[in-house]
């Protein structure tokens, strides 16, 4: 069921000792599923919970997806997004300044449901992306 909104933060790495910057994009009508799990190790159980997103192309409205390298080459990233490891999202609409050092840590302190992207799958038959995050 595609009934959630997320705020996606795409990271653009800073050059030569400059800090990373982030571009925020709100995506509507996203499916969000929480998968709960644990892994037993020598140090005890480890949390292996993940969040799975399904983003359908037909629900993007005025947003446009670009592959990661094409995205980095854009000067104007308005209404454009990409999906890659290292980006993160917040479940819900967030109107927060992105001009903060270590934005991911800041957002985790301030909001629940902040998740860093681990992997992205692209599917063409029914155009959509499946994202796994922690």
């Amino acid at each position: 069921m595609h009934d959630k909104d997320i705020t996606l933060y795409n990271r653009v790495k800073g050059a030569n000792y400059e800090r990373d910057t982030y571009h925020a994009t709100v995506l509507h009508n996203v499916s969000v599923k929480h998968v709960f799990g644990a892994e037993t190790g020598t140090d005890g159980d480890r949390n292996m919970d993940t969040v799975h997103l399904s983003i359908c192309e037909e629900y993007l409205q005025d947003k446009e997806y670009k592959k990661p390298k094409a995205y980095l080459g854009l000067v104007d990233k308005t209404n454009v997004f990409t999906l890659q490891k290292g980006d993160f999202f917040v479940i819900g609409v967030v109107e927060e300044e992105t001009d903060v050092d270590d934005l991911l840590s800041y957002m985790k302190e301030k909001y629940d449901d902040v998740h860093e992207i681990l992997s992205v799958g692209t599917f063409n038959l029914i155009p959509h992306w499946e994202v796994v995050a922690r």
Side-chain angles (χ1 to χ4, degrees), residues 23-126:
H23 297 276
T25 304
V26 175
L27 300 176
H28 303 284
N29 302 312
V30 175
S31 173
V32 178
K33 295 179 185 167
H34 295 270
V35 178
F36 301 100
E39 181 178 89
T40 302
T42 57
D43 299 342
D45 290 343
R46 287 186 284 164
N47 181 348
M48 298 302 290
D49 296 352
T50 56
V51 174
H52 296 224
L53 297 182
S54 176
I55 304 168
C56 287
E57 188 175 293
E58 69 179 287
Y59 296 140
L60 290 180
Q61 298 165 341
D62 61 342
K63 308 296 190 279
E64 182 182 1
Y65 172 81
K66 293 286 187 186
K67 290 184 177 183
K69 289 180 183 175
Y71 178 84
L72 289 177
L74 295 174
V75 174
D76 182 9
K77 294 177 173 60
T78 306
N79 291 324
V80 180
F81 71 98
T82 193
L83 297 165
Q84 64 182 334
K85 185 175 180 175
D87 292 342
F88 71 94
F89 61 90
V90 180
I91 298 173
V93 176
V94 177
E95 295 181 9
E96 185 77 35
E97 287 295 321
T98 59
D99 193 26
V100 176
D101 288 333
D102 195 5
L103 183 63
L104 177 59
S105 295
Y106 170 79
M107 297 299 271
K108 283 185 175 183
E109 288 178 16
K110 190 166 182 178
Y111 296 97
D112 296 321
D113 297 320
V114 177
H115 305 283
E116 190 170 2
I117 295 175
L118 300 175
S119 66
V120 178
T122 302
F123 299 89
N124 296 320
L125 184 61
I126 300 173

Side-chain angles (χ1 to χ4, degrees), residues 6-21:
I6 66 164
T7 305
L8 174 67
Y9 291 88
N10 293 123
R11 180 178 64 174
V12 177
K13 291 188 178 189
N16 298 335
Y17 305 107
E18 292 179 10
R19 66 186 170 120
D20 296 346
T21 58

